[in-house]
mmCIF file of all heavy atoms in Angstrom:
data_model
loop_
_atom_site.group_PDB
_atom_site.id
_atom_site.type_symbol
_atom_site.label_atom_id
_atom_site.label_comp_id
_atom_site.label_asym_id
_atom_site.label_seq_id
_atom_site.Cartn_x
_atom_site.Cartn_y
_atom_site.Cartn_z
ATOM 1 N N THR A 859 -17.536 -7.120 21.812
ATOM 2 C CA THR A 859 -18.520 -6.953 22.990
ATOM 3 C C THR A 859 -19.862 -6.416 22.636
ATOM 4 O O THR A 859 -20.819 -6.661 23.433
ATOM 5 C CB THR A 859 -17.929 -6.268 24.157
ATOM 6 O OG1 THR A 859 -17.606 -4.856 23.641
ATOM 7 C CG2 THR A 859 -16.620 -6.892 24.563
ATOM 8 N N GLY A 860 -20.021 -5.677 21.484
ATOM 9 C CA GLY A 860 -21.351 -5.158 21.085
ATOM 10 C C GLY A 860 -21.300 -4.706 19.689
ATOM 11 O O GLY A 860 -20.247 -4.209 19.103
ATOM 12 N N VAL A 861 -22.348 -4.772 19.036
ATOM 13 C CA VAL A 861 -22.541 -4.295 17.664
ATOM 14 C C VAL A 861 -24.061 -3.619 17.628
ATOM 15 O O VAL A 861 -24.992 -4.072 18.186
ATOM 16 C CB VAL A 861 -22.606 -5.420 16.674
ATOM 17 C CG1 VAL A 861 -22.763 -4.804 15.177
ATOM 18 C CG2 VAL A 861 -21.376 -6.245 16.813
ATOM 19 N N THR A 862 -24.062 -2.384 17.021
ATOM 20 C CA THR A 862 -25.253 -1.685 16.873
ATOM 21 C C THR A 862 -25.403 -1.060 15.576
ATOM 22 O O THR A 862 -24.373 -0.410 15.066
ATOM 23 C CB THR A 862 -25.520 -0.630 18.039
ATOM 24 O OG1 THR A 862 -26.716 -0.066 17.977
ATOM 25 C CG2 THR A 862 -24.413 0.406 17.960
ATOM 26 N N PRO A 863 -26.556 -0.950 14.918
ATOM 27 C CA PRO A 863 -26.703 -0.264 13.648
ATOM 28 C C PRO A 863 -26.843 1.294 13.916
ATOM 29 O O PRO A 863 -27.403 1.712 14.990
ATOM 30 C CB PRO A 863 -27.925 -0.775 13.097
ATOM 31 C CG PRO A 863 -28.807 -1.384 14.147
ATOM 32 C CD PRO A 863 -27.730 -1.687 15.185
ATOM 33 N N PHE A 864 -26.499 2.065 12.960
ATOM 34 C CA PHE A 864 -26.633 3.546 13.149
ATOM 35 C C PHE A 864 -27.028 4.188 11.870
ATOM 36 O O PHE A 864 -26.689 3.647 10.720
ATOM 37 C CB PHE A 864 -25.368 4.175 13.646
ATOM 38 C CG PHE A 864 -24.293 4.364 12.812
ATOM 39 C CD1 PHE A 864 -24.018 5.460 12.184
ATOM 40 C CD2 PHE A 864 -23.405 3.274 12.616
ATOM 41 C CE1 PHE A 864 -23.033 5.627 11.188
ATOM 42 C CE2 PHE A 864 -22.350 3.349 11.717
ATOM 43 C CZ PHE A 864 -22.110 4.561 10.866
ATOM 44 N N ILE A 865 -27.594 5.432 11.838
ATOM 45 C CA ILE A 865 -27.886 6.236 10.777
ATOM 46 C C ILE A 865 -27.283 7.614 10.917
ATOM 47 O O ILE A 865 -27.455 8.085 12.106
ATOM 48 C CB ILE A 865 -29.353 6.321 10.414
ATOM 49 C CG1 ILE A 865 -29.962 4.906 10.072
ATOM 50 C CG2 ILE A 865 -29.607 7.301 9.355
ATOM 51 C CD1 ILE A 865 -31.547 4.975 10.010
ATOM 52 N N TYR A 866 -26.589 8.078 9.958
ATOM 53 C CA TYR A 866 -25.853 9.298 10.147
ATOM 54 C C TYR A 866 -26.508 10.272 9.054
ATOM 55 O O TYR A 866 -26.630 9.980 7.917
ATOM 56 C CB TYR A 866 -24.406 9.209 9.898
ATOM 57 C CG TYR A 866 -23.575 10.384 9.895
ATOM 58 C CD1 TYR A 866 -23.035 10.897 11.066
ATOM 59 C CD2 TYR A 866 -23.441 11.193 8.833
ATOM 60 C CE1 TYR A 866 -22.224 12.033 11.099
ATOM 61 C CE2 TYR A 866 -22.681 12.395 8.725
ATOM 62 C CZ TYR A 866 -22.123 12.782 9.945
ATOM 63 O OH TYR A 866 -21.396 13.993 9.979
ATOM 64 N N SER A 867 -26.680 11.585 9.456
ATOM 65 C CA SER A 867 -27.262 12.642 8.586
ATOM 66 C C SER A 867 -27.008 14.004 9.232
ATOM 67 O O SER A 867 -26.727 14.136 10.394
ATOM 68 C CB SER A 867 -28.683 12.375 8.286
ATOM 69 O OG SER A 867 -29.175 13.397 7.338
ATOM 70 N N GLU A 868 -27.056 15.000 8.354
ATOM 71 C CA GLU A 868 -27.006 16.317 8.879
ATOM 72 C C GLU A 868 -28.334 17.068 8.653
ATOM 73 O O GLU A 868 -28.713 17.073 7.442
ATOM 74 C CB GLU A 868 -25.867 17.072 8.201
ATOM 75 C CG GLU A 868 -24.475 16.543 8.621
ATOM 76 C CD GLU A 868 -23.307 17.262 7.890
ATOM 77 O OE1 GLU A 868 -23.607 18.266 7.316
ATOM 78 O OE2 GLU A 868 -22.194 16.795 7.994
ATOM 79 N N VAL A 869 -28.889 17.625 9.757
ATOM 80 C CA VAL A 869 -30.201 18.226 9.550
ATOM 81 C C VAL A 869 -30.177 19.599 10.200
ATOM 82 O O VAL A 869 -29.243 19.969 10.800
ATOM 83 C CB VAL A 869 -31.397 17.277 10.085
ATOM 84 C CG1 VAL A 869 -31.350 15.961 9.492
ATOM 85 C CG2 VAL A 869 -31.107 17.045 11.636
ATOM 86 N N MET A 870 -31.336 20.326 10.011
ATOM 87 C CA MET A 870 -31.486 21.607 10.799
ATOM 88 C C MET A 870 -32.467 21.367 11.896
ATOM 89 O O MET A 870 -33.653 20.761 11.731
ATOM 90 C CB MET A 870 -32.010 22.644 9.801
ATOM 91 C CG MET A 870 -31.061 22.976 8.706
ATOM 92 S SD MET A 870 -29.614 23.887 9.283
ATOM 93 C CE MET A 870 -30.339 25.357 9.967
ATOM 94 N N LEU A 871 -32.164 21.853 13.031
ATOM 95 C CA LEU A 871 -33.165 21.720 14.179
ATOM 96 C C LEU A 871 -33.612 23.068 14.427
ATOM 97 O O LEU A 871 -32.925 24.078 14.703
ATOM 98 C CB LEU A 871 -32.333 21.227 15.466
ATOM 99 C CG LEU A 871 -33.192 20.856 16.693
ATOM 100 C CD1 LEU A 871 -32.497 19.540 17.393
ATOM 101 C CD2 LEU A 871 -33.340 21.899 17.610
ATOM 102 N N SER A 872 -35.000 23.184 14.542
ATOM 103 C CA SER A 872 -35.702 24.571 14.750
ATOM 104 C C SER A 872 -36.503 24.540 15.870
ATOM 105 O O SER A 872 -37.216 23.493 16.168
ATOM 106 C CB SER A 872 -36.387 24.886 13.371
ATOM 107 O OG SER A 872 -37.156 26.098 13.662
ATOM 108 N N SER A 873 -36.491 25.672 16.666
ATOM 109 C CA SER A 873 -37.458 25.885 17.819
ATOM 110 C C SER A 873 -37.728 27.252 17.995
ATOM 111 O O SER A 873 -37.188 28.138 17.271
ATOM 112 C CB SER A 873 -36.761 25.159 19.070
ATOM 113 O OG SER A 873 -35.682 26.027 19.488
ATOM 114 N N SER A 874 -38.363 27.610 19.065
ATOM 115 C CA SER A 874 -38.669 28.974 19.315
ATOM 116 C C SER A 874 -37.467 29.728 19.722
ATOM 117 O O SER A 874 -37.371 31.032 19.576
ATOM 118 C CB SER A 874 -39.878 29.170 20.375
ATOM 119 O OG SER A 874 -39.303 28.514 21.602
ATOM 120 N N GLY A 875 -36.356 29.084 20.072
ATOM 121 C CA GLY A 875 -35.109 29.662 20.405
ATOM 122 C C GLY A 875 -34.182 29.967 19.361
ATOM 123 O O GLY A 875 -33.174 30.545 19.582
ATOM 124 N N GLY A 876 -34.473 29.284 18.191
ATOM 125 C CA GLY A 876 -33.640 29.704 17.044
ATOM 126 C C GLY A 876 -33.488 28.434 16.111
ATOM 127 O O GLY A 876 -34.117 27.383 16.239
ATOM 128 N N VAL A 877 -32.535 28.468 15.203
ATOM 129 C CA VAL A 877 -32.245 27.384 14.311
ATOM 130 C C VAL A 877 -30.793 27.013 14.339
ATOM 131 O O VAL A 877 -29.978 27.897 14.473
ATOM 132 C CB VAL A 877 -32.636 27.756 12.764
ATOM 133 C CG1 VAL A 877 -32.343 26.581 11.920
ATOM 134 C CG2 VAL A 877 -34.093 28.250 12.840
ATOM 135 N N LYS A 878 -30.474 25.678 14.281
ATOM 136 C CA LYS A 878 -29.140 25.175 14.490
ATOM 137 C C LYS A 878 -29.009 24.011 13.603
ATOM 138 O O LYS A 878 -29.690 23.124 13.586
ATOM 139 C CB LYS A 878 -28.809 24.968 15.905
ATOM 140 C CG LYS A 878 -27.370 24.342 16.171
ATOM 141 C CD LYS A 878 -26.368 25.362 15.965
ATOM 142 C CE LYS A 878 -24.979 24.850 16.546
ATOM 143 N NZ LYS A 878 -24.387 23.713 15.844
ATOM 144 N N GLY A 879 -27.871 23.950 12.776
ATOM 145 C CA GLY A 879 -27.484 22.738 12.144
ATOM 146 C C GLY A 879 -26.903 21.725 13.055
ATOM 147 O O GLY A 879 -25.954 22.033 13.868
ATOM 148 N N VAL A 880 -27.361 20.521 12.976
ATOM 149 C CA VAL A 880 -26.894 19.385 13.951
ATOM 150 C C VAL A 880 -26.512 18.149 13.096
ATOM 151 O O VAL A 880 -27.106 17.900 12.029
ATOM 152 C CB VAL A 880 -27.996 19.096 15.031
ATOM 153 C CG1 VAL A 880 -28.211 20.262 15.847
ATOM 154 C CG2 VAL A 880 -29.229 18.533 14.429
ATOM 155 N N VAL A 881 -25.808 17.373 13.744
ATOM 156 C CA VAL A 881 -25.340 16.002 13.212
ATOM 157 C C VAL A 881 -26.372 15.155 13.900
ATOM 158 O O VAL A 881 -26.457 15.006 15.053
ATOM 159 C CB VAL A 881 -24.088 15.564 13.574
ATOM 160 C CG1 VAL A 881 -23.754 14.118 13.143
ATOM 161 C CG2 VAL A 881 -22.980 16.434 12.932
ATOM 162 N N LEU A 882 -27.190 14.423 13.050
ATOM 163 C CA LEU A 882 -28.312 13.610 13.522
ATOM 164 C C LEU A 882 -27.885 11.984 13.480
ATOM 165 O O LEU A 882 -27.282 11.611 12.493
ATOM 166 C CB LEU A 882 -29.550 13.721 12.740
ATOM 167 C CG LEU A 882 -30.770 12.988 13.243
ATOM 168 C CD1 LEU A 882 -31.185 13.533 14.547
ATOM 169 C CD2 LEU A 882 -31.960 13.068 12.186
ATOM 170 N N ARG A 883 -27.940 11.436 14.642
ATOM 171 C CA ARG A 883 -27.637 10.008 14.760
ATOM 172 C C ARG A 883 -28.821 9.228 15.088
ATOM 173 O O ARG A 883 -29.364 9.379 16.092
ATOM 174 C CB ARG A 883 -26.424 9.888 15.849
ATOM 175 C CG ARG A 883 -25.205 10.493 15.599
ATOM 176 C CD ARG A 883 -24.289 9.746 14.619
ATOM 177 N NE ARG A 883 -23.985 8.526 15.167
ATOM 178 C CZ ARG A 883 -22.899 8.241 15.955
ATOM 179 N NH1 ARG A 883 -22.066 9.267 16.289
ATOM 180 N NH2 ARG A 883 -22.626 7.009 16.479
ATOM 181 N N GLY A 884 -29.005 8.298 14.111
ATOM 182 C CA GLY A 884 -30.091 7.280 14.446
ATOM 183 C C GLY A 884 -29.536 6.090 15.096
ATOM 184 O O GLY A 884 -28.501 5.667 14.649
ATOM 185 N N VAL A 885 -30.064 5.674 16.289
ATOM 186 C CA VAL A 885 -29.533 4.535 17.060
ATOM 187 C C VAL A 885 -30.505 3.636 17.417
ATOM 188 O O VAL A 885 -31.724 3.879 17.368
ATOM 189 C CB VAL A 885 -28.701 5.069 18.312
ATOM 190 C CG1 VAL A 885 -27.508 5.900 17.932
ATOM 191 C CG2 VAL A 885 -29.680 5.740 19.280
ATOM 192 N N ASP A 886 -30.186 2.390 17.675
ATOM 193 C CA ASP A 886 -31.089 1.341 18.344
ATOM 194 C C ASP A 886 -30.783 1.430 19.732
ATOM 195 O O ASP A 886 -29.790 0.998 20.276
ATOM 196 C CB ASP A 886 -30.589 -0.027 17.648
ATOM 197 C CG ASP A 886 -31.542 -1.190 18.203
ATOM 198 O OD1 ASP A 886 -32.476 -0.873 19.157
ATOM 199 O OD2 ASP A 886 -31.614 -2.118 17.563
ATOM 200 N N SER A 887 -31.852 1.791 20.506
ATOM 201 C CA SER A 887 -31.747 2.063 22.027
ATOM 202 C C SER A 887 -31.330 0.902 22.717
ATOM 203 O O SER A 887 -30.752 0.931 23.813
ATOM 204 C CB SER A 887 -32.926 2.683 22.511
ATOM 205 O OG SER A 887 -34.088 1.866 22.262
ATOM 206 N N LYS A 888 -31.707 -0.317 22.258
ATOM 207 C CA LYS A 888 -31.363 -1.484 22.865
ATOM 208 C C LYS A 888 -29.935 -1.966 22.819
ATOM 209 O O LYS A 888 -29.255 -2.307 23.766
ATOM 210 C CB LYS A 888 -32.339 -2.714 22.323
ATOM 211 C CG LYS A 888 -33.805 -2.459 22.744
ATOM 212 C CD LYS A 888 -34.607 -3.590 22.231
ATOM 213 C CE LYS A 888 -36.110 -3.386 22.467
ATOM 214 N NZ LYS A 888 -36.933 -4.529 21.927
ATOM 215 N N THR A 889 -29.478 -2.029 21.608
ATOM 216 C CA THR A 889 -28.056 -2.501 21.336
ATOM 217 C C THR A 889 -27.122 -1.402 21.551
ATOM 218 O O THR A 889 -25.912 -1.723 21.756
ATOM 219 C CB THR A 889 -27.893 -3.007 20.008
ATOM 220 O OG1 THR A 889 -28.245 -2.010 18.990
ATOM 221 C CG2 THR A 889 -28.742 -4.269 19.808
ATOM 222 N N ALA A 890 -27.594 -0.036 21.541
ATOM 223 C CA ALA A 890 -26.613 1.078 21.573
ATOM 224 C C ALA A 890 -26.002 1.108 22.964
ATOM 225 O O ALA A 890 -24.896 1.701 23.129
ATOM 226 C CB ALA A 890 -27.234 2.434 21.261
ATOM 227 N N LYS A 891 -26.709 0.588 24.055
ATOM 228 C CA LYS A 891 -26.150 0.695 25.397
ATOM 229 C C LYS A 891 -24.903 -0.093 25.525
ATOM 230 O O LYS A 891 -24.031 0.230 26.391
ATOM 231 C CB LYS A 891 -27.210 0.153 26.244
ATOM 232 C CG LYS A 891 -28.566 1.057 26.382
ATOM 233 C CD LYS A 891 -29.520 0.353 27.294
ATOM 234 C CE LYS A 891 -30.880 1.229 27.350
ATOM 235 N NZ LYS A 891 -31.804 0.579 28.236
ATOM 236 N N GLY A 892 -24.657 -1.159 24.751
ATOM 237 C CA GLY A 892 -23.461 -1.910 24.892
ATOM 238 C C GLY A 892 -22.327 -1.441 24.077
ATOM 239 O O GLY A 892 -21.274 -2.029 24.100
ATOM 240 N N VAL A 893 -22.519 -0.315 23.244
ATOM 241 C CA VAL A 893 -21.549 0.093 22.435
ATOM 242 C C VAL A 893 -21.104 1.559 22.596
ATOM 243 O O VAL A 893 -20.007 1.911 22.725
ATOM 244 C CB VAL A 893 -21.996 0.036 20.871
ATOM 245 C CG1 VAL A 893 -20.892 0.559 19.972
ATOM 246 C CG2 VAL A 893 -22.240 -1.503 20.578
ATOM 247 N N LEU A 894 -22.138 2.459 22.963
ATOM 248 C CA LEU A 894 -21.965 3.853 23.177
ATOM 249 C C LEU A 894 -22.006 4.242 24.525
ATOM 250 O O LEU A 894 -22.651 3.505 25.407
ATOM 251 C CB LEU A 894 -22.932 4.707 22.350
ATOM 252 C CG LEU A 894 -22.940 4.399 20.795
ATOM 253 C CD1 LEU A 894 -24.096 5.247 20.107
ATOM 254 C CD2 LEU A 894 -21.612 4.654 20.131
#
């Protein structure tokens, strides 16, 4: 019913509130709606 490309990586997210390691998911906003 749906196919979407994705990118997976682990990065650090930094803001004035602190730093946190996160799992980063690159998605295609058009096709991701039918899959996720």
Side-chain angles (χ1 to χ4, degrees):
T859 59
V861 183
T862 185
F864 74 95
I865 295 175
Y866 177 93
S867 182
E868 295 179 7
V869 299
M870 297 292 293
L871 191 148
S872 173
S873 70
S874 58
V877 179
K878 177 73 168 61
V880 298
V881 174
L882 186 67
R883 295 281 298 273
V885 296
D886 184 343
S887 59
K888 295 181 180 179
T889 58
K891 296 179 180 179
V893 178
L894 307 177

